Amino acid sequence: MMRSTFSKVVLGLLILPMGLLMADPAFNGRWRLDKARSTALDGWTTMDLVVSIEAGEVALQHDMRWRSTRVTAVNRVNTNHPVEIRDFFRIDQRHMAVYRPVDKVTPVTAMWLDEERTLRVEAHHEVETSQGFATMRITSEYRLEEGDETLTLIELHSTRDRPLVYVFRKLAPDDTSKP
């Protein structure tokens, strides 16, 4: 019995550091959209992305602005298991006449790629259009670029022929300016 407990403790101590290294800590922080290098942000004038990683949970907070309108929405994903998000936020949802049906959730999976320098998130988002209901598959890759000062978000939508590409620059921790 004692040997079994000891083995579990040793195994746990070996696995714990690996769990802590599941994401590059440079992802954490506030990132500001570089509009000149990004896909047009139709329906919005500015955007910040705030990334917060704790254990397997990744909070992707979108701070959006259009004139005096400000919207903050958070998608919480988990790299250890699939989640269901009640109010899944899409960057392009303001511009399109595509809405989330009431009382629907979005199944979402997330995983680390490229030695934990890329976070891939896949969502199967039910939407309502003027033609009826459909499922929009959205695959997003958050890629931390060399130097850790640039984050590129590439979104592939099952409803679009071309990807959406958003490039962000990291703000200093003491930069409290809003988008």
Side-chain angles (χ1 to χ4, degrees):
M1 180 74 161
M2 178 112 106
R3 185 178 192 114
S4 174
T5 303
F6 177 76
S7 297
K8 289 179 183 176
V9 169
V10 170
L11 182 62
L13 290 174
L14 291 173
I15 293 174
L16 179 63
M18 292 174 64
L20 295 175
L21 296 174
M22 292 305 286
D24 193 310
F27 270 99
N28 285 310
R30 181 174 286 273
W31 300 84
R32 173 103 2 114
L33 182 72
D34 182 341
K35 289 171 46 171
R37 297 175 57 199
S38 300
T39 299
L41 196 60
D42 295 337
W44 303 102
T45 52
T46 60
M47 173 173 63
D48 278 3
L49 177 67
V50 182
V51 180
S52 177
I53 303 169
E54 187 174 319
E57 184 173 280
V58 182
L60 301 164
Q61 176 180 317
H62 302 84
D63 290 341
M64 313 293 288
R65 183 173 180 184
W66 178 73
R67 296 186 184 172
S68 64
T69 301
R70 291 181 186 261
V71 172
T72 296
V74 181
N75 289 336
R76 292 185 190 282
V77 301
N78 195 303
T79 57
N80 296 323
H81 56 80
V83 297
E84 291 184 337
I85 300 175
R86 177 156 302 284
D87 293 318
F88 182 80
F89 181 79
R90 296 185 343 264
I91 294 169
D92 66 345
Q93 70 190 25
R94 179 182 172 99
H95 180 65
M96 299 173 63
V98 176
Y99 307 98
R100 179 186 58 82
V102 177
D103 296 329
K104 294 291 183 178
V105 295
T106 300
V108 179
T109 58
M111 67 179 1
W112 292 109
L113 304 170
D114 307 327
E115 299 175 4
E116 291 74 41
R117 303 268 306 163
T118 299
L119 174 67
R120 180 168 63 200
V121 176
E122 185 160 328
H124 292 258
H125 189 57
E126 285 193 55
V127 294
E128 182 177 1
T129 69
S130 59
Q131 291 83 26
F133 296 94
T135 299
M136 178 188 305
R137 184 176 30 80
I138 303 169
T139 303
S140 305
E141 286 195 5
Y142 298 81
R143 296 179 179 178
L144 188 58
E145 303 296 330
E146 191 171 328
D148 299 339
E149 296 300 315
T150 303
L151 180 70
T152 301
L153 166 57
I154 302 169
E155 285 193 356
L156 299 171
H157 293 212
S158 59
T159 57
R160 293 178 176 260
D161 293 334
R162 295 182 180 202
L164 301 170
V165 179
Y166 302 105
V167 178
F168 297 86
R169 64 177 175 76
K170 192 161 198 173
L171 296 183
D174 59 345
D175 187 344
T176 59
S177 64
K178 295 293 181 183

